[in-house]
Amino acid sequence: MISFDHVTKNYGSLAAVDNVSLTVNQGEYLALLGPNGAGKTTLVRMLLGFSKPTQGTISLNGTSASHCASRIHLGFLAEQLRIPPYLSGREFLSRHATLKGLSGLEANKEIDRIVALVGMQGKEKKRSATYSKGMRQRIGLGAALLGKPKIVILDEPVSGLDPMGIRDFRTILEHLKDEGTTLILSSHLLSEVEKTCTTAAIIYKGKILVKDAIESIVKEGESLEDMFVRYIEEAHG
């Protein structure tokens, strides 16, 4: 579903991403892990077409990421989600539905489904200026899931959610897994990553250190956090 082929992204003399080759298969739940400044955001920005690689190619479901058509079946939730304060949650979802090519009765039915899915019934018509961070995050997740995308990319999706919200989020992702959705999850909350994802890729100083099934790269007696620290320390020397 997703392929990075010898991708490099330079900013002046800095290689934010350095000759990365990475594949994500259909239905795979991949945790993209790395310290701040490791290159995670740059990888995601190139995948979304916000930035072009200096070298190499990126494709989504066989289509170059440089083409708008590659993003038809893609949903994205940014870490720093911003909803215009004058819009209600439903209005925000309606605008995203239009971008997904949905309109009229079809759009309304899909928005109703999403509002129920993310637990915002009875609150979706209130202005987002009145929302808590967790409520904005639920609406943002809903926007990412409009139209049942085949690929979903989530950047710190449980930020601002209370324990009940985190549990609901996990249930939603389990439902998407059953539907064969491909997921890339970028998060510093490793305990949640461990409950959600089946594979992990660690990026450090623009290079992929490892990409494999979590159960294969976590040693006996290690937590996911222990494994992460081990790889970073070994790479750091």
Side-chain angles (χ1 to χ4, degrees), residues 177-204:
K177 185 182 292 185
D178 292 340
E179 294 182 343
T181 305
T182 303
L183 174 74
I184 294 181
L185 173 62
S186 178
S187 177
H188 289 111
L189 190 58
L190 298 187
S191 60
E192 198 57 39
V193 165
E194 199 164 15
K195 294 173 184 176
T196 303
C197 296
T198 52
T199 60
I202 299 177
I203 185 170
Y204 181 62

Side-chain angles (χ1 to χ4, degrees), residues 92-113:
F92 183 74
L93 292 173
S94 179
R95 295 193 179 193
H96 278 264
T98 300
L99 294 173
K100 289 280 188 176
L102 303 173
S103 60
L105 183 60
E106 182 185 19
N108 283 327
K109 286 184 176 180
E110 177 63 2
I111 292 170
D112 287 343
R113 181 186 74 86

Side-chain angles (χ1 to χ4, degrees), residues 29 114-121 123 134-135 137-139 141-142 145 154 157-158 160-177 192 195-196:
Y29 268 35
I114 287 294
V115 167
L117 181 66
V118 300
M120 285 293 287
Q121 306 100 312
K123 305 168 188 173
M135 292 168 68
Q137 204 73 355
R138 286 174 182 266
I139 289 293
L141 177 61
L145 300 182
L154 306 176
V158 298
L161 294 182
D162 58 25
M164 184 69 73
I166 292 174
R167 188 192 67 176
D168 291 346
F169 157 81
R170 197 184 305 137
T171 300
I172 291 168
L173 292 192
E174 286 298 326
H175 175 67
L176 295 179
K177 185 182 292 185
E192 198 57 39
K195 294 173 184 176
T196 303

Side-chain angles (χ1 to χ4, degrees), residues 79-96:
E79 178 182 6
Q80 300 295 332
L81 175 68
R82 291 180 175 85
I83 304 177
Y86 52 85
L87 290 181
S88 69
R90 190 174 187 90
E91 288 169 337
F92 183 74
L93 292 173
S94 179
R95 295 193 179 193
H96 278 264

Side-chain angles (χ1 to χ4, degrees), residues 1-2 4 24 28 30 32 40-41 43-50 58 60 65 70-71 73-79 100 140-141 143-145 149-157 169 173 176 181-187:
M1 291 295 285
I2 300 170
F4 291 83
V24 184
E28 186 172 349
L30 174 73
L32 183 59
K40 302 189 301 298
T41 299
L43 275 180
V44 170
R45 285 180 59 82
M46 289 190 292
L47 185 59
L48 295 169
F50 295 159
I58 305 170
L60 290 87
S70 70
R71 295 183 287 281
H73 299 294
L74 186 150
F76 172 59
L77 172 61
E79 178 182 6
K100 289 280 188 176
L141 177 61
L145 300 182
K150 296 178 181 178
I151 301 171
V152 176
I153 303 171
L154 306 176
D155 192 359
E156 299 292 351
F169 157 81
L173 292 192
L176 295 179
T181 305
T182 303
L183 174 74
I184 294 181
L185 173 62
S186 178
S187 177

